Amino acid sequence: MRYAIVGLGLIGGSLAWDLTQAGHEVWGVSRSGETCRQAVQRGIVQQADPNLDQVFPQSWDGVIVATPIAATLPTIAHLATGLQPGTPLTDVASVKGSLVETATRLWPSFVGGHPMAGTADHGLAAAQLGLFREAVYVVTPLPETDREALARVEELIRTVGAEVVHCHPVDHDQAVAAISHVPVWISAALIAAAAEQGSLARRLASSGFRDTSRVGGGNPELGVGMAQANRAAILAHLTVYRRHLTQIQDWILAEDWSSLQDYLQATQIQRPQFRGIQ
Ligand code: NAP
């Protein structure tokens, strides 16, 4: 198979590396010439170039857009002006809502995708082999999505060892607001609030703080991109979260220890019901 990947960062670089290792021909496009040079030198792709138009004269079994969220639609719009008709085109953006509708209008062989895997790092240097192994990889086909393109994208996902999960773009955005996007802001607020405590809190922080602060200390561009692109679902879920915090505050104020005990008993049962938690 021949794949082109646009945006050789954490996700694009990791996908490219897995596909190359699986014996496929992989070309890359990335904003920086140095990233392109590094990607070829490290054997992540066979060829790379900062010029997006380099993919136009070729035929591809799949083209993957793995740029930051804000650049995803403009990149798809440009690709739609020159790709060979029927080329399966997919993205990896963490927000799907209106992006999938617009991209499908621009390119009928577009399939929205979102791998549920990542790290706190970014850029090509953060790319990892096997990042998607046993991870969930969401696809968000619409009724009008080209079924042949969908089958090709699902094949690509299975090649990198991930499990395909189908859902509607709107359901996707509400679910990821709860388990991925809002936790970034809760974790960031935790860091900022703890920093107000001063140097002693910094000195005493241990594994509990390390775990709860991890996602708030990640890539700022990604966090802001999520807030811009998934604004409505994030605001709705922050309201739900605020209701829970207020409830906890009220119970502590009222010294209602038994309600707090019941609450933590329920969360102890609920936590392992989420995937990826042992
Ligand atoms: P990233 O590490 O910052 O990689 C994106 C790379 O794209 C940049 O390093 C940049 O590389 C390149 N780039 C930027 N603008 C470009 C453009 N206009 N054209 C071509 N290349 C461009 O970010 P990422 O974490 O891989 O995220 C990429 C996408 O994956 C986002 O849509 C994000 O929502 C999604 N995603 C992220 C995660 C995660 O945990 N990080 C998980 C799932 C999905 P150079 O400047 O070095 O060339």
Side-chain angles (χ1 to χ4, degrees):
M1 299 281 183
R2 303 186 74 241
Y3 296 110
I5 301 189
V6 185
L8 295 172
L10 167 67
I11 299 297
S14 301
L15 279 171
W17 210 353
D18 278 351
L19 292 169
T20 296
Q21 284 282 311
H24 300 294
E25 190 181 341
V26 185
W27 286 31
V29 175
S30 210
R31 186 176 49 183
S32 130
E34 178 55 21
T35 298
C36 293
R37 201 185 61 72
Q38 286 277 336
V40 175
Q41 192 188 48
R42 291 173 57 195
I44 290 173
V45 295
Q46 285 90 66
Q47 292 205 35
D49 194 295
N51 180 7
L52 188 55
D53 293 355
Q54 66 132 351
V55 304
F56 288 159
Q58 314 277 335
S59 80
W60 305 101
D61 296 293
V63 175
I64 306 161
V65 177
T67 62
I69 297 178
T72 301
L73 255 187
T75 304
I76 290 168
H78 187 76
L79 286 167
T81 65
L83 280 183
Q84 296 185 6
T87 305
L89 175 61
T90 187
D91 75 324
V92 297
S94 317
V95 179
K96 306 268 51 105
S98 60
L99 185 154
V100 175
E101 255 174 54
T102 310
T104 307
R105 265 200 309 275
L106 288 166
W107 194 252
S109 301
F110 174 82
V111 179
H114 179 204
M116 302 304 298
T119 70
D121 299 321
H122 60 99
L124 182 70
Q128 285 180 20
L129 262 180
L131 182 66
F132 310 101
R133 204 175 297 133
E134 292 176 15
V136 161
Y137 198 128
V138 179
V139 288
T140 57
L142 300 176
E144 62 269 37
T145 300
D146 171 1
R147 296 292 128 173
E148 175 61 28
L150 176 61
R152 290 292 185 88
V153 169
E154 289 184 351
E155 191 180 336
L156 181 161
I157 292 171
R158 282 190 281 269
T159 301
V160 300
E163 179 194 334
V164 178
V165 170
H166 282 224
C167 69
H168 190 276
V170 173
D171 295 338
H172 165 275
D173 288 359
Q174 287 170 353
V176 295
I179 54 94
S180 175
H181 301 171
V182 167
V184 167
W185 298 105
I186 292 169
S187 175
L190 203 70
I191 297 169
E196 283 184 21
Q197 277 289 316
S199 62
L200 184 60
R202 289 191 177 90
R203 270 182 79 196
L204 301 186
S206 178
S207 57
F209 189 73
R210 185 189 60 215
D211 293 347
T212 50
S213 65
R214 186 176 67 80
V215 295
N219 178 0
E221 191 181 8
L222 192 61
V224 174
M226 287 169 181
Q228 287 170 330
N230 201 18
R231 184 169 168 271
I234 288 176
L235 284 173
H237 197 72
L238 277 172
T239 303
V240 174
Y241 185 71
R242 198 191 306 267
R243 171 164 53 75
H244 280 263
L245 277 187
T246 304
Q247 176 68 87
I248 291 165
Q249 199 172 22
D250 289 348
W251 281 330
I252 294 174
L253 258 173
E255 301 188 15
D256 185 351
W257 313 126
S258 96
S259 293
L260 285 163
Q261 170 87 14
D262 292 348
Y263 189 80
L264 283 183
Q265 254 159 8
T267 56
Q268 200 174 40
I269 292 165
Q270 287 158 347
R271 185 168 184 264
Q273 295 164 358
F274 291 82
R275 192 187 165 104
I277 293 168
Q278 340 296 327

